[in-house]
Amino acid sequence: MTDTPLFKVSGFSKFYGNRIGCKDVSFELWPGEVLAIVGESGSGKTTLLNCLSTRLMPTAGSVEYRMRDGQFRDLYHMSEAERRFLMRTDWGFVHQNPADGLRMTVSAGANVGERLMAIGDRHYGKIRETATDWLTRVEISTDRIDDQPRSFSGGMRQRLQIARNLVTGPRLVFMDEPTGGLDVSVQARLLDLLRGLVNDLGLAAIVVTHDLAVARLLSHRMMVMKDGYVIEHGLTDRVLDDPREPYTQLLVSSILQV
Ligand SMILES: Nc1ncnc2c1ncn2[C@@H]1O[C@H](COP(=O)(O)OP(=O)(O)O)[C@@H](O)[C@H]1O
Ligand SMILES: [Mg+2]
């Protein structure tokens, strides 16, 4: 089935009153493919991501998702319960601010284990074992399993949020500026870790970032947004090495100057 897209977006728009959030976006995402959405602040990246992941209602357009049974379903013609089930099982959502994606006052182990319980795991010993394994995979010392993320550094919190999202074996993960709030030194390690996990698990991902270095490291393809429109779309190396649109050329050159 890998010759079939996982996600098909067509004529997608979101308006806030008269203001454009995003307009006329169409693309397909393939299994195991990482798509970066880049653009400056206010270009519509978060709006698009939130609409695609059904956290916001679009004004127009459709998104079809290929379910595990191979059938395409329109996300906006599903019941709320079906959408929530998808969110809990097949999808992950990594927020820029880990506090938005974690429960800060329950233990690290419970943050990971909770997602397993939500899909029906009941065996305490097994849940704890899987949680321990995932803490190791995201490089959190297992002696922190009973600590609350409140006591963790920003980087540890973000790694815990990633473990919480990946533990259920999702097929698609949405990420909004996953390294955005972190120190530069911490960002590099987290990116490495993310790249390894995404490769190992064969995950498809849609990653919003204003940082072209993140797009370069993580993504196969990228879309450049400006004022709500996708103005350039192509393989990441092609777009970054040979940008066609003057606006993309500006974006790329401004990063080369730093
Ligand atoms: N809740 C909202 N109400 C009204 N306008 C919004 C809202 N959220 C975003 N916008 C507007 O939509 C446009 C895109 O914003 P956003 O998706 O947050 O961009 P980005 O994530 O690229 O910074 C901007 O003009 C922004 O001001
Ligand atoms: Mg944003």
Side-chain angles (χ1 to χ4, degrees):
M1 289 295 275
T2 47
D3 56 351
T4 314
L6 189 60
F7 206 66
K8 295 198 271 195
V9 180
S10 145
F12 210 64
S13 301
K14 169 72 180 176
F15 290 89
Y16 299 102
N18 291 328
R19 187 194 302 250
I20 295 177
C22 62
K23 180 105 184 350
D24 259 343
V25 179
S26 300
F27 68 92
E28 291 180 342
L29 184 75
W30 298 77
E33 184 179 42
V34 179
L35 173 73
I37 302 173
V38 307
E40 64 190 308
S41 174
S43 58
K45 307 182 298 294
T46 296
T47 298
L48 178 59
L49 193 75
N50 285 342
C51 287
L52 294 174
S53 59
T54 74
R55 298 159 51 79
L56 255 185
M57 264 324 247
T59 312
S62 72
V63 182
E64 288 183 275
Y65 180 67
R66 181 156 58 74
M67 308 292 281
R68 285 184 191 244
D69 66 7
Q71 299 297 310
F72 279 99
R73 296 285 309 279
D74 188 324
L75 292 180
Y76 292 95
H77 290 106
M78 277 184 187
S79 70
E80 188 56 39
E82 282 178 299
R83 277 206 292 266
R84 271 206 303 271
F85 184 73
L86 261 188
M87 287 273 208
R88 281 206 306 265
T89 55
D90 246 24
W91 292 1
F93 195 105
V94 175
H95 298 261
Q96 172 171 357
N97 180 358
D100 294 336
L102 290 172
R103 292 220 289 141
M104 297 304 279
T105 55
V106 305
S107 70
N111 265 286
V112 178
E114 208 170 53
R115 284 266 295 184
L116 291 171
M117 284 162 66
I119 60 169
D121 274 4
R122 286 291 173 267
H123 188 285
Y124 177 79
K126 268 200 208 121
I127 291 173
R128 192 163 170 97
E129 195 181 307
T130 308
T132 306
D133 178 45
W134 267 95
L135 291 186
T136 309
R137 290 182 80 163
V138 298
E139 300 166 4
I140 294 175
S141 162
T142 53
D143 62 11
R144 304 298 300 269
I145 190 167
D146 294 317
D147 294 351
Q148 296 175 5
R150 283 196 301 186
S151 70
F152 288 4
S153 69
M156 283 170 77
R157 288 178 186 181
Q158 197 54 305
R159 281 179 275 132
L160 181 64
Q161 190 190 188
I162 288 163
R164 175 177 162 96
N165 273 278
L166 299 189
V167 68
T168 54
R171 295 195 298 160
L172 172 61
V173 179
F174 301 92
M175 301 187 220
D176 193 355
E177 306 273 7
T179 60
L182 303 171
D183 291 344
V184 175
S185 59
V186 179
Q187 279 184 17
R189 264 190 64 206
L190 185 78
L191 263 181
D192 249 14
L193 178 76
L194 254 183
R195 182 158 72 156
L197 287 170
V198 166
N199 279 338
D200 291 351
L201 301 169
L203 279 177
I206 301 178
V207 185
V208 157
T209 180
H210 68 278
D211 184 343
L212 297 184
V214 171
R216 169 85 87 182
L217 262 172
L218 278 185
S219 71
H220 304 109
R221 257 194 310 145
M222 60 190 273
M223 299 199 305
V224 181
M225 293 189 74
K226 181 175 190 290
D227 301 332
Y229 290 87
V230 173
I231 56 145
E232 184 156 3
H233 181 183
L235 293 177
T236 299
D237 288 343
R238 200 284 294 158
V239 173
L240 292 177
D241 295 339
D242 182 23
R244 287 182 190 153
E245 291 296 319
Y247 178 76
T248 314
Q249 289 165 6
L250 265 178
L251 268 188
V252 170
S253 63
S254 65
I255 190 176
L256 292 179
Q257 280 160 18
V258 288

